Amino acid sequence: MFYGDLFMKKYLINYIRENFKIFKAISVFIIIGIIIGIFLFNFLPNDIIDNIISSSKATLNLAKENNFEKTNIILNGTINNLILLSIIYISSLLIIAEQTSLLISTVKGLSIGFYAVNLINIFGIKNGIISILCLIIVPNIIYLPTFIFTLINSINFHYITVREKFNISYLIKEVYNLIISISLIFLSVILEQTMCNIVINLWKNM
């Protein structure tokens, strides 16, 4: 176990070192997206904000009433993330793959910032912070590094398939990386559904 942990640590250090520029760029654009999302929500017209909050509360009420029996977060979350993975790898075949990846990073950050402000508006400050912890911070401990890992791999895949000579061995390696990404995303979706139970209990007691 110790040697496995040591190997994984060395792998991660080497991976980040080899891809540091890409890692840094993606991280910066995610942070920019989060900031934009926070400010964007506050600058929306009041009627649109009210519609967003009402829709979110309706979803919470539905989940509360059915206790997740009809709201399959795991299935929906997995499908949505598989679609996102497909978009990421399809974009890696484009000439502007790097720019597309940074755009995707910004949109991802924007959705996080937007979601966080929406939760504060729904639950208030105290319960809003708890809901942010449950629905954003905890799942993203796994999901966000996986998202960055996938984007980095897609950009490297772009360099090999578009800018250099196509390599079968690299394609096999990339399929392996994709399997890792899917597995980790599935784990983060399960974690998100577990955290949702806490948020629903908060909503029940409000």
Side-chain angles (χ1 to χ4, degrees), residues 97-168:
E98 300 101 320
Q99 293 84 348
T100 305
S101 295
L102 295 179
L103 176 62
I104 292 172
S105 301
T106 305
V107 172
K108 177 59 182 175
L110 189 149
S111 67
I112 292 173
F114 199 90
Y115 191 24
V117 179
N118 190 33
L119 290 173
I120 292 292
N121 278 278
I122 293 170
F123 288 94
I125 298 296
K126 182 181 177 181
N127 288 338
I129 292 173
I130 296 173
S131 63
I132 288 172
L133 178 66
C134 294
L135 296 180
I136 296 178
I137 295 177
V138 172
N140 275 299
I141 290 174
I142 298 174
Y143 180 76
L144 207 53
T146 304
F147 176 77
I148 295 173
F149 172 76
T150 305
L151 278 175
I152 291 173
N153 290 335
S154 72
I155 292 173
N156 289 332
F157 183 69
H158 164 78
Y159 290 144
I160 295 295
T161 57
V162 176
R163 298 193 176 185
E164 298 179 15
K165 188 176 180 180
F166 183 77
N167 191 321
I168 293 294

Side-chain angles (χ1 to χ4, degrees), residues 71-90:
T71 309
N72 196 330
I73 293 179
I74 291 180
L75 178 60
N76 293 336
T78 302
I79 291 173
N80 291 337
N81 282 292
L82 287 176
I83 292 172
L84 179 59
L85 284 178
S86 300
I87 292 172
I88 289 173
Y89 272 92
I90 289 172

